[in-house]
Amino acid sequence: MSRCVLIIEDEAAQAQILKYNLESAGFDTLLADNGADGIGQARSKLPDLVLLDWMLPDMSGINVCKTLKGDEDTKAIPVIMLTARGDEDDKVRGLTVGADDYVVKPHSIKELIARIKANLRKSGQDDDILTFSDVTMNIETHRVSRGGDEIKLGPTEFRLLKTLLGRPKKVWSRAQLLDRVWGTDIYVDERTVDVHMGRLRKAINVGGREDLIRTIRGAGYALDKHN
Ligand code: CA
């Protein structure tokens, strides 16, 4: 179970090294080799963090960052800018357009992973524990509880809840949930989301507890209170 990092980097060798190292450290990764694709994937797949190269073929990393931070859907996603340049002016420019952090290449993978974790924590996403209301999920031990009582979930419901807990109150479309929970490689009908959401709702609302899953007609689902 892991956090999803979108790597926007046009140099294929660099991108593969990042992907390999992040996956070895337990992250899921998405790759984009240009700015437009990076923005598109950030919007549709809502990664937990973006690693953004400064120099891209179609637009600058600065403009990608500006776009992500100016969009209601993506502005909360932490962005770490990667640059080969150590120029102080660049650093200031990056932070001015809303980048959350800035790492100069070459960097050690250990340092980069530490920065990724620190930025996930800063954005309210502790590495191991996710909570909303009285629901708690421990990603390390795979335990979920509500008000202190353990809740048993199937693997799909666990991933679904983990995704929802990653961004409470956000409305997720069925297509976004399919991408995040089932992956983009397989075709699954959107109604499958409704089936598993029904199971998840039943499991976490056990004993007549307050319903924490909001269904938004025509839009999708959110982990949220109903009023
Ligand atoms: Ca580049």
Side-chain angles (χ1 to χ4, degrees):
M1 283 308 170
S2 48
R3 297 327 184 97
C4 179
V5 176
L6 169 61
I7 301 163
I8 309 178
E9 162 70 86
D10 59 309
E11 283 148 73
Q14 270 293 323
Q16 287 304 324
I17 290 169
L18 287 171
K19 178 180 155 72
Y20 173 80
N21 282 295
L22 291 184
E23 289 180 356
S24 301
F27 294 95
D28 286 335
T29 59
L30 295 165
L31 287 181
D33 65 2
N34 64 69
D37 182 33
I39 292 168
Q41 289 201 53
R43 282 186 181 139
S44 62
K45 294 169 187 166
L46 296 170
D48 297 297
L49 184 138
V50 173
L51 277 185
L52 174 60
D53 186 33
W54 187 277
M55 304 277 278
L56 294 165
D58 57 334
M59 59 200 288
S60 71
I62 287 284
N63 281 330
V64 174
C65 185
K66 215 188 250 174
T67 305
L68 294 178
K69 292 298 180 180
D71 183 322
E72 223 18 71
D73 282 345
T74 55
K75 70 178 186 191
I77 302 172
V79 174
I80 300 179
M81 296 210 60
L82 301 174
T83 176
R85 304 184 286 186
D87 197 321
E88 271 302 304
D89 287 350
D90 281 356
K91 180 169 179 172
V92 170
R93 274 212 293 155
L95 298 176
T96 304
V97 295
D100 297 84
D101 208 345
Y102 184 97
V103 173
V104 178
K105 297 195 264 190
H107 45 72
S108 78
I109 246 340
K110 214 171 152 190
E111 184 205 345
L112 184 62
I113 284 168
R115 301 283 273 276
I116 289 171
K117 287 187 174 170
N119 278 277
L120 287 172
R121 257 194 304 276
K122 220 165 55 187
S123 69
Q125 306 175 67
D126 186 88
D127 288 341
D128 303 328
I129 311 280
L130 298 172
T131 62
F132 176 72
S133 182
D134 56 351
V135 176
T136 299
M137 171 180 282
N138 185 318
I139 290 171
E140 295 262 290
T141 62
H142 273 223
R143 286 183 188 275
V144 176
S145 64
R146 175 129 195 217
D149 297 332
E150 187 165 359
I151 291 170
K152 298 254 183 248
L153 295 177
T156 303
E157 287 71 36
F158 183 90
R159 286 179 67 88
L160 204 47
L161 180 60
K162 174 175 163 271
T163 301
L164 296 173
L165 279 167
R167 215 151 295 148
K169 301 192 178 187
K170 181 197 153 42
V171 178
W172 295 80
S173 70
R174 288 171 177 79
Q176 286 172 331
L177 290 170
L178 280 175
D179 271 1
R180 287 295 292 269
V181 175
W182 281 266
T184 48
D185 300 337
I186 49 164
Y187 177 76
V188 182
D189 194 278
E190 292 199 353
R191 276 170 301 185
T192 305
V193 176
D194 299 331
V195 171
H196 288 277
M197 195 61 86
R199 287 185 195 154
L200 175 61
R201 177 177 258 144
K202 202 171 154 197
I204 69 166
N205 294 347
V206 69
R209 293 173 196 256
E210 181 188 3
D211 187 6
L212 293 179
I213 299 202
R214 215 181 124 216
T215 307
I216 300 92
R217 194 182 285 223
Y221 295 99
L223 188 67
D224 201 353
K225 310 234 176 188
H226 282 239
N227 39 39

